[in-house]
């Protein structure tokens, strides 16, 4: 898990803004900022999925001695869907000259073959264990075999997406990909066999080639960008410098000292939006782990469900200098307009 610190030094703005920030209390600014962040999150995707009809003529009949084959073969399914999954789960943001976020690609590694059989096969709500710091999600590919029930339900921060693959289970390959910190479950398979392959999705840096421009988003097109730009241009805004701190919206498997270096490339959804916007504005941003301390008190156990023990979210908190900030010295990068 992580939090990020964006730090700005004061600079007299040259442009008048409709929003008179000097008259706003800092708290109010935080509220507005929070609304933008939450707004982004509302549209941020945490899951995607699709369907690949199979060529039924290519499936061998019951009398054939040929092994059953599907078209297209599984290896190409992975490739054909990789760019869709990448765009949704791993968008690349152009952070211009401030870019320290390398362009990223997804790679998938086969992890498991699962068979859930009727009348009672199911998998209770769980979160997949990340296998490495670069794992950002899971991909589930449902193979063609008839079954009833067995919905896959993926959840993230109170939202859920249901994949009902039963209707086309005999005639299509269906898939879903989601971030690693999403809870998910498989409802009871009432009939037939539900067969899936699960892949771990990792972030990699492309070797050689570059990402096509169409796959790169410009953070300057986001409303958060113009809001923040006006904010930092306002004369007198944080004249003596200062810092914004955000808890991240997703959980990340990072606790090591290398987290500030490794974390940016694994950022997801709203966290990535925030990071890219700060970056593109030339605001110093530091990503640091927010170490979770377990509270064993009975009171706390009663009040918190197991899934709520981890502090992840969009709440704004007062700024507290951490050891890491102290070690790094005072950080202040002057804001530069473009
Ligand atoms: O089969 C599925 O739909 C998902 C399986 C799963 O969640 C897992 O293997 O962790
Ligand atoms: Fe799972």
């Amino acid at each position: 898990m992580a939090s990020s610190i964006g730090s700005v030094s004061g600079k007299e703005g040259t442009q008048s803004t409709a929003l008179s920030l000097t008259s706003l209390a800092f708290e109010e600014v935080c509220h507005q900022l929070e609304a933008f962040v939450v707004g982004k999150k509302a549209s941020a995707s945490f899951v995607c999925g699709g369907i690949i009809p199979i060529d039924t003529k290519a499936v061998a009949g019951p009398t054939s001695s040929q092994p059953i084959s599907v078209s297209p073969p599984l290896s190409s399914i992975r490739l054909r869907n990789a760019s869709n999954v990448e765009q949704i789960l791993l968008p690349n943001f152009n952070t211009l000259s401030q870019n320290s976020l390398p362009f990223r690609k997804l790679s998938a590694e086969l992890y498991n073959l699962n068979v859930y059989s009727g009348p009672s096969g199911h998998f209770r709500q769980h979160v997949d264990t990340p296998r490495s710091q670069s794992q950002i999600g899971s991909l589930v590919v449902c193979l063609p075999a008839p079954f009833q029930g067995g919905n896959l339900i993926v959840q993230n921060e109170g939202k859920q997406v249901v994949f009902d693959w039963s209707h086309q289970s005999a005639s299509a390959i269906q898939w879903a990909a989601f971030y690693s910190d999403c809870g998910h479950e498989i409802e009871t398979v009432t009939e037939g066999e539900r067969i899936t392959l699960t892949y771990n999705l990792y972030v990699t840096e492309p070797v050689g080639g570059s990402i096509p421009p169409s796959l790169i988003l410009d953070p300057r097109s986001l409303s958060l960008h113009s809001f923040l730009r006006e904010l930092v241009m306002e004369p007198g805004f944080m004249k003596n410098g200062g810092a914004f701190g955000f808890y991240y919206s997703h959980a990340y498997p990072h606790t090591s000292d290398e987290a500030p270096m490794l974390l940016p490339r694994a950022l997801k959804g709203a966290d990535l939006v925030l990071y890219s916007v700060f970056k593109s504005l030339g605001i110093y941003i530091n990503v640091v782990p927010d170490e979770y301390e377990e509270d064993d008190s009975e009171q706390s156990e009663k009040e918190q469900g197991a899934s709520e023990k981890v502090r992840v979210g969009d709440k704004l908190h007062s700024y507290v200098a951490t050891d890491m900030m102290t070690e790094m010295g005072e950080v202040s990068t002057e804001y530069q307009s473009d």
Side-chain angles (χ1 to χ4, degrees):
M1 202 177 358
S3 64
S4 68
I5 307 283
S7 164
V8 274
S9 71
K11 184 178 179 188
E12 296 288 311
T14 51
Q15 187 178 297
S16 70
T17 58
L19 186 68
S20 176
L21 290 164
T22 40
S23 64
L24 287 175
F26 183 69
E27 216 172 293
E28 180 56 29
V29 173
C30 286
H31 280 311
Q32 292 196 17
L33 207 49
E34 188 172 20
F36 272 103
V37 175
V38 173
K40 283 292 150 216
K41 188 182 303 178
S43 60
S45 305
F46 58 93
V47 62
C48 55
I51 180 162
I52 302 163
I54 56 168
D55 177 358
T56 42
K57 286 189 218 112
V59 178
T63 53
S64 167
S65 58
Q66 297 293 311
I68 290 178
S69 67
V70 293
S71 175
L74 275 181
S75 52
S76 69
I77 289 160
R78 276 173 60 194
L79 294 174
R80 280 162 59 132
N81 285 301
S83 65
N84 293 347
V85 178
E86 253 161 23
Q87 281 175 61
I88 294 168
L89 297 189
L90 197 67
N92 284 293
F93 280 89
N94 177 7
T95 50
L96 301 172
S97 57
Q98 305 295 329
N99 186 17
S100 70
L101 190 65
F103 289 140
R104 306 164 316 156
K105 286 201 72 70
L106 270 187
S107 73
E109 198 175 283
L110 183 60
Y111 177 63
N112 224 348
L113 168 73
N114 311 291
V115 181
Y116 298 91
S117 306
S120 57
H122 67 281
F123 197 169
R124 289 216 179 93
Q125 234 244 13
H126 65 285
V127 174
D128 294 341
T129 311
R131 307 286 143 191
S132 85
Q133 293 193 347
S134 60
Q135 185 176 346
I136 72 141
S138 302
L139 167 68
V140 182
V141 175
C142 186
L143 301 181
F147 65 87
Q148 293 297 319
N151 288 349
L152 169 66
I153 303 179
V154 184
Q155 286 158 340
N156 188 254
E157 299 197 322
K159 284 174 263 168
Q160 70 171 33
V161 175
V162 179
F163 292 90
D164 178 355
W165 288 334
S166 62
H167 300 294
Q168 302 198 61
S169 55
S171 57
I173 292 165
Q174 299 170 91
W175 62 272
F178 45 89
Y179 288 141
S180 334
D181 60 340
C182 293
H184 54 285
E185 66 181 291
I186 304 164
E187 289 183 326
T188 305
V189 176
T190 50
E191 254 177 64
E193 315 279 336
R194 182 185 181 281
I195 306 167
T196 58
L197 296 171
T198 45
Y199 295 79
N200 293 332
L201 295 175
Y202 298 99
V203 187
T204 58
E205 284 162 42
V207 184
S210 56
I211 308 266
S214 59
L215 297 185
I216 301 174
L217 299 179
D218 189 341
R220 290 174 302 178
S221 64
L222 303 172
S223 52
L224 178 62
H225 183 278
S226 39
F227 174 77
L228 270 174
R229 191 168 183 276
E230 286 187 3
L231 185 71
V232 295
M233 292 287 284
E234 181 70 16
F237 176 71
M238 290 176 96
K239 240 183 187 150
N240 304 318
F244 293 121
F246 298 91
Y247 285 110
Y248 265 47
S249 306
H250 292 275
Y252 298 92
H254 288 268
T255 50
S256 72
D257 291 347
E258 290 178 320
M261 197 253 298
L262 294 174
L263 257 170
R265 72 189 62 180
L267 294 180
K268 303 181 267 207
D271 301 337
L272 181 62
V273 167
L274 206 55
Y275 181 89
S276 308
V277 168
F278 271 96
K279 267 299 206 197
S280 68
L281 283 166
I283 296 172
Y284 179 88
I285 179 160
N286 188 24
V287 181
V288 292
D290 170 28
E291 280 163 32
Y292 161 61
E293 285 170 35
E294 195 164 353
D295 182 349
D296 288 335
S297 75
E298 263 181 44
Q299 172 89 9
S300 152
E301 295 230 328
K302 268 185 213 145
E303 281 175 4
Q304 300 176 322
S307 63
E308 289 166 345
K309 280 192 170 177
V310 176
R311 189 174 51 178
V312 180
D314 45 46
K315 293 243 162 15
L316 290 163
H317 300 255
S318 46
Y319 170 62
V320 180
T322 62
D323 289 350
M324 188 164 300
M325 289 296 285
T326 318
E327 271 165 33
M328 294 183 68
E330 205 164 297
V331 196
S332 84
T333 301
E334 204 152 315
Y335 168 74
Q336 289 164 355
S337 64
D338 45 18

